[in-house]
Amino acid sequence: MNIEDLSIAIKQKAKEVGFSFCGISKVEMLQNEADFLKVWLKNNYHAEMHYMENYFEKRTNPVLLLENAKSVISVLLNYYPEDKIDKNKYQLAKYAYGKDYHYIIKSKLIEVIEFIKLIGIEVNARNFCDSAPVMDKVWAQKSGLGWIGKNTCLIVPKAGSFFLIGEILLDIDLIYDKPVENKCGSCTRCIDACPTNALIAPYLLDARKCISYLTIEHKPEFDEDLDLHNQIFGCDICQDVCPWNIKFAKQHSTNELDIDKNLLNFTNEDWQKLEKKEFKAFFKNTALERTTFERLKRNISKA
Ligand code: SF4
Ligand code: SF4
């Protein structure tokens, strides 16, 4: 099979296993991103996410993740839910409504790799979904799937930003897609809506102020006067206000990402009364499981 046909077949397979979009880019050293990351880290915008300082070379040069890496296949999985938690109640980031997405994406990526090998192509491949230092949004952008918006999310033309990202790194050449134009234009809705001013400039996030970081990654107790603005795990505010989501986000079709009806009906009082035993049973194999019960309670106390 020639590389044109193989590239088309891979994209068809990605759709067949349930991914919403698939694009392909050529492996290269991410020099601009490396320069940006150095300054971002130097300014401590990564807060206590010290793992961002690790594997700097691998993060910006995929050849160090897979010998002779030539191509990156980027895939997106829609997670925009039909049933959403009522706006007046404590909020969870929508990606955390259902089962932990890492397992869902990984198993689909493995299906795509097996498909390539079944065709008879000799290939070395690695799949990633937050599992290694890979700049997933950058590769998705390079693969022509969207642009990185002023809220630092990947925005897919006519589809929005509620997409999970995965990648496959391969040591074979494929046909590469072209990046799309950035269409944020003069809009600043995400920056204006951020309740903690964490978007300190277009395309620049100070994680120390970001509710998503604070509710998930931040381990110590909070300052007395912190207000989490109703968010108890993650934060979607800068995505919810984005016109590309308001106009184009469509409900996903991955059942495992659906919210449990009991959780949908949780009142704030239910959250406040939640006990450790219930937490463990209820949130097994979900993103919330990775936070601790104590941290969730801490978040609730500031929401
Ligand atoms: S996730 Fe929330 S806190 Fe973080 S930048 Fe977006 S709106 Fe601001
Ligand atoms: S809200 Fe506006 S500026 Fe922010 S990401 Fe969306 S289009 Fe871009």
Side-chain angles (χ1 to χ4, degrees):
M1 188 182 274
N2 63 39
I3 63 168
E4 282 85 1
D5 289 345
L6 178 59
S7 305
I8 292 168
I10 288 171
K11 289 180 181 177
Q12 279 171 347
K13 185 67 189 177
K15 287 265 173 81
E16 198 185 302
V17 302
F19 288 120
S20 320
F21 296 99
C22 175
I24 305 174
S25 48
K26 187 177 173 57
V27 163
E28 58 186 349
M29 165 77 195
L30 300 174
Q31 192 54 56
N32 292 342
E33 289 76 12
D35 295 344
F36 180 89
L37 183 59
K38 259 185 209 157
V39 177
W40 195 73
L41 293 170
K42 195 163 173 251
N43 283 312
N44 287 321
Y45 292 146
H46 60 310
E48 291 143 39
M49 292 184 283
H50 297 298
Y51 60 83
M52 294 293 295
E53 298 159 23
N54 301 336
Y55 307 114
F56 187 91
E57 305 301 329
K58 282 186 180 170
R59 201 178 292 280
T60 50
N61 187 4
V63 176
L64 301 174
L65 290 168
L66 179 77
E67 205 179 335
N68 293 322
K70 298 267 190 340
S71 304
V72 184
I73 301 170
S74 291
V75 291
L76 303 182
L77 183 68
N78 183 5
Y79 68 92
Y80 190 71
E82 182 182 14
D83 294 326
K84 293 181 261 313
I85 296 172
D86 187 284
K87 283 195 173 73
N88 298 314
K89 297 201 281 191
Y90 291 151
Q91 297 293 303
L92 304 176
K94 294 178 211 21
Y95 77 78
Y97 274 17
K99 293 293 168 208
D100 189 336
Y101 67 86
H102 297 95
Y103 305 112
I104 300 168
I105 293 200
K106 279 255 174 188
S107 68
K108 290 183 192 296
L109 290 173
I110 289 167
E111 278 190 73
V112 175
I113 293 173
E114 280 171 359
F115 166 78
I116 298 168
K117 289 184 174 168
L118 265 177
I119 295 174
I121 311 282
E122 269 193 40
V123 65
N124 289 304
R126 282 188 71 184
N127 69 80
F128 305 97
C129 179
D130 299 343
S131 50
V134 177
M135 299 182 103
D136 52 3
K137 286 183 279 186
V138 173
W139 289 111
Q141 182 184 38
K142 285 184 181 293
S143 299
L145 297 178
W147 72 92
I148 298 176
K150 291 177 190 174
N151 60 3
T152 75
C153 297
L154 181 85
I155 302 178
V156 182
K158 298 195 175 170
S161 64
F162 290 107
F163 292 92
L164 303 161
I165 310 178
E167 306 81 31
I168 298 171
L169 205 50
L170 301 167
D171 62 353
I172 55 170
D173 283 311
L174 292 167
I175 298 297
Y176 302 120
D177 293 293
K178 289 190 178 63
V180 299
E181 191 191 337
N182 182 317
K183 291 193 176 150
C184 279
S186 58
C187 174
T188 56
R189 282 196 207 182
C190 51
I191 297 168
D192 301 339
C194 175
T196 53
N197 299 315
L199 292 164
I200 54 176
Y203 314 103
L204 187 58
L205 177 79
D206 183 347
R208 294 169 298 187
K209 297 180 177 181
C210 176
I211 293 170
S212 185
Y213 162 77
L214 290 166
T215 53
I216 298 171
E217 305 270 358
H218 180 83
K219 295 190 178 74
E221 283 303 308
F222 289 138
D223 290 344
E224 193 56 39
D225 55 353
L226 181 74
D227 181 355
L228 291 174
H229 298 270
N230 231 18
Q231 316 296 315
I232 61 169
F233 186 89
C235 170
D236 284 339
I237 294 171
C238 57
Q239 295 194 80
D240 285 334
V241 299
C242 177
W244 292 90
N245 284 324
I246 292 170
K247 193 160 179 200
F248 296 111
K250 287 202 178 69
Q251 66 187 73
H252 69 74
S253 54
T254 308
N255 295 341
E256 300 102 300
L257 295 174
D258 281 336
I259 193 164
D260 183 298
K261 292 286 176 227
N262 294 315
L263 185 57
L264 189 65
N265 295 325
F266 255 38
T267 63
N268 286 5
E269 206 185 351
D270 292 331
W271 281 109
Q272 284 155 6
K273 284 185 178 164
L274 186 73
E275 291 186 2
K276 193 164 188 170
K277 216 168 132 190
E278 290 173 283
F279 171 83
K280 282 197 166 169
F282 209 83
F283 296 108
K284 194 167 167 50
N285 298 330
T286 70
L288 266 84
E289 192 184 33
R290 284 182 292 122
T291 194
T292 60
F293 172 74
E294 288 73 20
R295 254 188 268 164
L296 182 67
K297 283 286 179 180
R298 176 203 62 179
N299 297 347
I300 290 168
S301 75
K302 292 292 180 191

